[in-house]
Amino acid sequence: MIPLLRHARYVLSENPVTGLAFALFAMLLVAAIFGPMLAPYSPLQSNAAMALKPPSAAHWFGTDQLGRDIFSRVLVATRLDLSIAFASVILAFMLGALSGVAAGYFGGWTDRVVGRLADTIMAFPLFVLAMGIVAALGNEVINIVIATAIINFPLYARVARAEANVRREAGFVEAARLSGNGEARVLLGHVLPNIMPIMMVQMSLTMGYAILNAAGLSFIGLGVRPPAPEWGIMVAEGANFIQSGEWWIALFPGAALMLAVFCFNLLGDGLRDIIDPRQRT
Amino acid sequence: MLKLLLSRLATAVPSIVGVVVVTFMLTRLLPGDPAAYFAGLAASPQAIAEIRTKLGLDKSLPEQFVGYIVDLAHGNLGNSLSTGQPVVTEIATRLPASAELTLFALILAVGIAIPLGVLAAVKQGTWIDHLCRIVTTAGVSLPVFFTGLLFAYVFYYLLQWAPAPSGRLDVFLSPPTHITGFYLIDSALTGNMEVFWGALRQLALPAISMAIFSLAPLARMTRGSMLSVLGSDFIRTARASGLAPGTVVFTYAFRNAVLPVITVLGMVFSFLLGANVLVETVFAWPGIGLYAVNALITSDYAPVQGFVLTMAVLYVALNLAIDLLYGLVDPRVRLDS
Amino acid sequence: MTAVPALAVEDLSVEFRTRSGIVKVLDHVGFSVDKGETVALVGESGSGKSVTAFAVMGILDPAGKVTSGRALFGGADLLALSERDLAEQRGRELSMIFQNPRTALNPIRKVGQQIADVLVRHGGATRSDAPRAAVEMLKRVRIPDPERRVEAYPFELSGGMCQRIMIAIALACRPALLIADEPTTGLDVTTQAVIMDLIGELAHESGMATIFITHDLALAAEYCDRIVVMHAGHVVEAAPARELFAHPRHPYSAKLLAATPGETVSLAELASIPGGLPDLRRPDLPACRYSGRCERRIDDCTKPLPHRVVDERHVVSCWNPL
């Protein structure tokens, strides 16, 4: 652990951008946890008199067509956007890591079934498949989570499979098996924990993509429904006003979205440098 | 080469089977009663029962699957509720618009990403290398629908350089004679320069938005593989033989470095086909993506299923083409198979 | 003997910039190669043999820098030439072949084209007769069925065949000097001899000077006129091959010789050289970089290295030679 920390400090000092990513991440976390408390206005309260006002001292990000405060809406939306992305990444990780580890460890038909499943998902353009899944399962937030998890599943399954395959014959696994542990116990207690670091990197790398995907789905009207504050849907609402010059309605939620994705992409690269320096490009 | 083609075709078959099975499952997964959905919101119970028989939903699942396959084989993807038209016809008429946009975006992305990646690798550590890093990190972080909106605001509303984000052609211009369905090609072939420029101006912003989103993996891979190839033994041989720097970088290094770049093209197409839906929505581009989004809003499911299937089949075909392209460039693959 | 040597390296120093400091890889290296002569550069890996060759060829890594010295070749100093002028010389006047021939050739270009590229670049042939010239070159390096083989890709050929292709590329423009950097590493034993014989014959035919880089003293003795022994970036001894074998003067040469399996020596009698190469990043490197491993070290060894001339052709850098 100590060498890992020292290496982390080295990577941070070499690459200040990763430090910036960590700072952004902390900011997002604060917004997600305390957002509703910090917001100066109610995100849902409309006010016809104040509709479509550009940014001002009272409304930092301006107001939308219903006179709602955009700053409050952007802030409050952080929780929903991050929750959707986080939940889908966790789900993808659980499905992918378990089936991938099983495929790599047992081989044989388990491997073939998991491989076939992953290949079939990869045969679709991923966003299009997500659209199809949400359309079929119903227009609910939970289905965005499921769809995003499904399209990320092959990535996790493949990484987990490769890692488990390498470790199948490793000494510590052999030792665990010989000391009388059942296969499931060896798998969950010894193989899985060892591939956690690499899966963590994978999770932070796919987090940005999950945010983009979820926001994209709600942009075309899937999942999240108005008036719920969510970045994708807010950009969609703002899109109607771009041609008449009311730029702030779409700009601020879009910028928040961009910043969040940027943060997780940088974080993923930084974590990879810390955990797996060989992969560095 | 024929052998390679056959072996690659054979690997595409399970993908197509998987795609067909998944799209079939998606139609059966519809929440509640699929017949009710296909019948529309205002349908009477009799109408729903009729639809159920018509769709074969009263039969067993295997029978339904066979029916689905038979329909597909006849090119029948059902009818759109809102327009009453066969989905196949509507997708076929709208496909050229999407294809023109996607291919133009791809050409832009490749045209920017590859020179950028090559330069970043050859001049490692200079400003162009840093530029490449910024572009690749920022590119994947930009939601494509947001970039599209920003461009529309800046270039249409503020600067008025670009036309209104509303479709393939200004309303005052009539589309060129249909030859390929690609406005740029058709207008160029018929010598209609006014329409050509008009179509190009409409195409520019959506295509650039998509290109920015998809060029990141290309540039990243080009830089990485150029760097590793430039450090390889045979480049040292080429330099030791006194070959001109241009020959070393292009004929020797680049042709080898392009191989991994071809393999990420699959991912790039996945990005592009997804981004296509969002960009068509932003720019009111009359392609199959916008068709699917409009159908989604009205709970018109047959077009959505048809769209998903069409996109998946296109994607499998594109991956097949990528495999063949790889074989063309790499003699080891071509001659070994 | 000959008035002007084919190549004279004088006072060559090279440094590498690394994360952990500056590595003084070569320190005032000097030797010369006469026209038509075959000289071996011998030493352990890390002794600077290849770096010497790369510096002369001007193909050092970007991290490497020549800090002093000259390499006189055909009346010009190669180290002072611009990259453009040097590239004109490379492949035409001086050529190099490498170890691991299979990775040293462009994997996706036909071998005939790779030969033709060099010929066309240096005006040895026009684009239109380059293919025929490439076939001629394959004949010269004794590749059977050359008309068919020019169409082959490296992965379709054996390691030995690939090294012949490398030789064909290097010799296509009949250079005055060939540097062969461990050309037989990675080849099986019978192929090794064939390749060495081939290089020897071709050099003899055209009166070409050859620098042969190896860690194998026996191989060097068999094929070379003269041997230059390198250790940790220094030239420690240079002598005619036969004389070095009979009377090595530098303690390191003697150890190297004792570690070389000959006909009479059994494996058990092979000596090993104690210690490793010194850390070349150290700022306080001793004047004699062998002194840390040397059994004949004396007080004088801290003084700057001497240049002791045993006879006209035999030079040793040691305060206490054998």
Side-chain angles (χ1 to χ4, degrees), chain B residues 5-6 14 32 40 61 87 92 102 120 140 163 172 198 201 240 242 265 269 281 325:
Chain B
L5 179 71
L6 290 178
L61 263 186
V87 169
T102 309
V140 284
F172 301 111
R201 276 159 59 87
L265 272 182
F269 270 117
T281 311
L325 180 63

Side-chain angles (χ1 to χ4, degrees), chain C residues 56 58 71 73 75-90 94:
Chain C
V56 168
F73 176 79
D77 176 9
L78 294 175
L79 303 180
L81 287 182
S82 69
E83 170 58 28
R84 181 188 283 265
D85 292 340
L86 191 55
E88 293 281 343
Q89 301 268 309
R90 286 200 295 257
L94 70 164

Side-chain angles (χ1 to χ4, degrees), chain C residues 206-280:
Chain C
S206 57
M208 176 179 71
T210 310
I211 297 174
F212 174 51
I213 296 175
T214 182
H215 56 263
D216 187 341
L217 206 50
L219 206 62
E222 192 179 339
Y223 289 97
C224 299
D225 306 319
R226 224 147 43 80
I227 295 179
V228 176
V229 181
M230 289 189 69
H231 175 268
H234 281 153
V235 169
V236 293
E237 186 166 11
R242 208 167 297 160
E243 193 174 326
L244 188 89
F245 256 73
H247 307 288
R249 293 305 180 101
H250 197 281
Y252 177 67
S253 309
K255 282 286 184 192
L256 210 54
L257 214 54
T260 304
E263 280 163 39
T264 53
V265 185
S266 73
L267 222 52
E269 288 171 77
L270 277 182
S272 67
I273 305 172
L277 295 174
D279 182 355
L280 297 183

Side-chain angles (χ1 to χ4, degrees), chain A residues 122-123 126 135-136 245 247 258 265, chain B residues 30-31 141-142 153 157 270 301 315:
Chain A
M122 296 293 279
L126 295 178
W247 49 270
M258 197 185 81
N265 284 344
Chain B
L30 290 179
S141 306
L142 282 168
Y153 178 70
Y157 182 81
S270 176
Y301 285 102
Y315 186 52

Side-chain angles (χ1 to χ4, degrees), chain C residues 115-322:
Chain C
I115 299 171
D117 286 338
V118 179
L119 283 165
V120 172
R121 156 74 176 163
H122 296 299
T126 59
R127 258 294 157 213
S128 54
D129 36 86
R132 215 174 25 78
V135 173
E136 277 310 306
M137 277 316 298
L138 291 196
K139 277 188 196 148
R140 263 184 77 198
V141 296
R142 319 236 160 86
I143 287 181
D145 200 1
E147 284 83 5
R148 201 165 57 85
R149 289 280 163 65
V150 284
E151 296 294 320
Y153 291 96
F155 74 95
E156 298 174 290
L157 302 174
S158 69
M161 280 297 162
C162 285
Q163 194 58 291
R164 287 171 197 243
I165 305 284
M166 278 295 303
I167 295 170
I169 291 175
L171 301 190
C173 299
R174 300 186 176 264
L177 173 70
L178 172 73
I179 303 177
D181 185 359
E182 310 229 7
T184 58
T185 308
L187 301 179
D188 61 65
V189 183
T190 45
T191 318
Q192 283 185 6
V194 175
I195 293 292
M196 287 307 299
D197 288 340
L198 180 66
I199 295 174
E201 273 172 53
L202 292 171
H204 186 75
E205 268 172 30
S206 57
M208 176 179 71
T210 310
I211 297 174
F212 174 51
I213 296 175
T214 182
H215 56 263
D216 187 341
L217 206 50
L219 206 62
E222 192 179 339
Y223 289 97
C224 299
D225 306 319
R226 224 147 43 80
I227 295 179
V228 176
V229 181
M230 289 189 69
H231 175 268
H234 281 153
V235 169
V236 293
E237 186 166 11
R242 208 167 297 160
E243 193 174 326
L244 188 89
F245 256 73
H247 307 288
R249 293 305 180 101
H250 197 281
Y252 177 67
S253 309
K255 282 286 184 192
L256 210 54
L257 214 54
T260 304
E263 280 163 39
T264 53
V265 185
S266 73
L267 222 52
E269 288 171 77
L270 277 182
S272 67
I273 305 172
L277 295 174
D279 182 355
L280 297 183
R281 283 167 307 187
R282 270 169 43 192
D284 58 334
L285 271 174
C288 172
R289 293 177 177 184
Y290 186 63
S291 58
R293 309 163 79 177
C294 187
E295 292 161 357
R296 296 176 56 82
R297 189 175 54 228
I298 53 172
D299 290 346
D300 277 351
C301 288
T302 53
K303 290 197 266 180
L305 278 181
H307 224 57
R308 295 204 164 168
V309 179
V310 179
D311 63 50
E312 196 191 344
R313 310 271 298 161
H314 192 163
V315 181
V316 60
S317 284
C318 182
W319 285 109
N320 189 19
L322 290 155

Side-chain angles (χ1 to χ4, degrees), chain A residues 239-258:
Chain A
N240 302 321
F241 297 93
I242 280 286
Q243 291 193 45
S244 49
E246 281 100 6
W247 49 270
W248 57 90
I249 307 177
L251 179 83
F252 292 108
L257 189 57
M258 197 185 81

